[in-house]
Amino acid sequence: MIRWNVSILICLTLIGGGLIYGRNVNLNVPGSNQGFAPQQPLAFSHRVHSGDLAIDCLYCHFGAEKSPRAGIPAANTCMNCHKFVMASWEQTKIEELNAAEEKRDLQLVVSPEIKKLYDAVGYSTESLAYADTTGNNLEWLRVHDLPDFVFFDHSRHVIADVACQTCHGAVETMETVSQESDLSMGWCIECHRDVNSGDNPDFQGKYASLSCAVCHY
Ligand code: HEC
Ligand code: HEC
Ligand code: HEC
Ligand code: HEC
Ligand code: HEC
């Protein structure tokens, strides 16, 4: 048993040490999910919300500043706006023009995508009230997912002024979020080395550990 543990440890040290101190060791596991962009149950667009509407990332992902996890907002956060915004401005404008042309009253326009949000939170567009608060939520699919034996802490990076985009790419242009970085150990280490080299003006006076225990339980 002890022997087994020791050889695992040596093995880990060799692989990890190779990644840290060697230049050309490439442990790019075939399972890298780079480019992964699952179709979500509701067509939420970062391009619309973070690009056009310029809503701050932290408005929805407030965990990123204070905790290891950025978190995904609850459907109630969406309702702060979507209790009033039932469709895109374009869809609403078209209905106004049609109603004027046909000389009739305005009808309520509810986008089919926003209807999914209402169904999830039990909001009725007939009574304009919460008819059923069974606490359902939207079931978002995970895009990024590190193995369980790796510890990553958002707040450490966000407080050190590493922009979300450095790791996640230009999310504010994405219709569907896609995994930008390969999330390999080499990727983490390469940046930590860059931080410690003192050469990068973005990381002046910062130090990011290369010790195994910092990233591995
Ligand atoms: C209005 C709320 C809202 C805003 C603002 C927002 N997001 Fe999101 N974000 C979401 C929701 C909801 C999801 C889950 C659905 C999806 O993946 O599109 C998500 C998913 C993500 C994911 C993928 C999560 C995973 O499963 O791995 C990343 C990365 C992300 N957002 C980064 C950002 C960044 C960076 C910004 C700012 C440029 C931002 N978000 C702004 C609501 C928001
Ligand atoms: C700060 C206000 C705000 C928040 C918070 C917000 N939205 Fe929106 N959302 C809007 C506005 C405004 C539009 C219309 C933009 C346009 O027409 O260009 C919109 C558009 C949409 C649309 C597109 C509707 C269509 O059919 O074109 C969907 C879907 C949507 N939002 C879902 C969500 C979800 C899900 C959340 C929560 C994760 C969310 N929104 C949070 C303001 C918000
Ligand atoms: C140093 C790189 C880095 C930075 C900077 C970063 N992220 Fe992440 N993000 C990651 C990694 C790695 C994961 C996967 C974590 C996991 O699977 O445990 C992740 C996961 C996420 C997720 C999925 C949910 C979660 O909590 O794990 C969201 C949402 C997200 N990031 C949003 C953001 C936002 C918003 C910012 C900026 C405020 C940001 N990230 C900054 C690397 C980064
Ligand atoms: C783009 C650069 C960059 C990437 C990529 C990056 N980091 Fe970091 N990391 C930093 C910086 C900068 C700090 C904080 C330095 C400071 O606080 O002075 C840091 C700090 C940390 C810390 C706190 C360590 C300490 O010294 O106390 C951990 C843990 C960590 N990172 C894990 C990870 C993991 C795991 C990944 C990959 C999934 C990763 N980082 C990817 C730049 C990065
Ligand atoms: C800055 C963060 C960080 C540090 C420091 C770090 N690792 Fe890793 N390590 C990771 C990440 C992230 C992965 C997951 C890679 C993946 O899923 O592709 C990983 C994966 C591994 C794996 C599995 C093989 C693989 O590539 O999937 C081993 C073994 C490992 N690390 C050992 C070590 C050892 C030993 C050390 C110290 C010499 C070390 N690591 C230091 C972040 C780190």
Side-chain angles (χ1 to χ4, degrees), residues 42-45 48-49 52-53 55 59-60 73-75 77-82 85 87-91 111-114 117 138 140:
L42 183 159
F44 174 79
S45 165
V48 168
H49 293 85
D52 295 353
L53 299 172
I55 307 171
Y59 179 85
C60 290
T77 306
C78 317
M79 290 302 285
N80 290 345
C81 296
H82 286 293
V85 182
S88 68
W89 282 321
E90 202 183 329
Q91 289 164 305
S111 130
E113 291 304 316
I114 290 174
L117 170 64
L138 292 160
W140 303 107

